[in-house]
Amino acid sequence: MTDDPSIRELAEIPAVEVITRAAVMLMSATAEKLGLSDDDPDDSPHRDLDEARRLITALAGLVTASAEYLGPHAGPVRDGLKTLQLAFREASAAPDEPGHGPGEKYTGPVW
C-alpha cells in the first residue's frame, strides 16, 4: 500500500468503478477525435474520424460486455455511446449504412 492516502491501489477499486472510468476515458477521447470540444468541429485540428471509429468500437465492446455489471451506470454510459455514434455518423462525409457504423456490430444499428 502506498503512503499517499489520496492514491488507492487498483486492488481496492471496485470493478464497476474501473469499467466506468475506462468508459469515460474512451468517451472523452472520442469526443476530442470528433472535434466536439472545438467551437466548429469541422475545422478542429484534433478531428480524426479513423481514430474516433476505433475508440467508439472499443467503447461499444466494453459497454456491451460489461452492461450487466454497471447497474445504474449502464443507461448513461449507453446513452453516451449512442450520442458519439450519432455524432460520428453526422461528421462522416459518406456515413456508414445503419448497422455498419463504429461499434454497431456490438450495439446494433444506431438511428
Side-chain angles (χ1 to χ4, degrees), residues 26 52-64 81 102-103 106:
L26 287 167
R53 176 183 295 278
R54 294 172 188 180
L55 291 164
I56 291 169
T57 300
L59 176 61
L62 175 65
V63 171
T64 301
L81 169 58
Y106 300 112

Side-chain angles (χ1 to χ4, degrees), residues 3-85:
D3 292 334
D4 184 350
S6 66
I7 300 174
R8 294 191 290 172
E9 297 220 14
L10 285 176
E12 296 175 10
I13 301 172
V16 67
E17 188 174 335
V18 174
I19 295 166
T20 303
R21 284 184 183 189
V24 169
M25 180 178 275
L26 287 167
M27 285 184 207
S28 296
T30 301
E32 289 292 330
K33 296 297 184 181
L34 290 172
L36 299 178
S37 63
D38 292 318
D39 291 334
D40 184 358
D42 292 331
D43 291 332
S44 172
H46 304 291
R47 181 175 259 187
D48 184 333
L49 296 183
D50 188 48
E51 288 284 301
R53 176 183 295 278
R54 294 172 188 180
L55 291 164
I56 291 169
T57 300
L59 176 61
L62 175 65
V63 171
T64 301
S66 60
E68 69 181 287
Y69 307 115
L70 294 177
H73 303 284
V77 172
R78 277 193 194 118
D79 291 345
L81 169 58
K82 182 177 181 178
T83 298
L84 292 168
Q85 287 173 306

Side-chain angles (χ1 to χ4, degrees), residues 82-104:
K82 182 177 181 178
T83 298
L84 292 168
Q85 287 173 306
L86 292 171
F88 181 92
R89 178 164 283 130
E90 185 175 305
S92 298
D96 298 309
E97 292 292 321
H100 297 282
E104 291 183 11

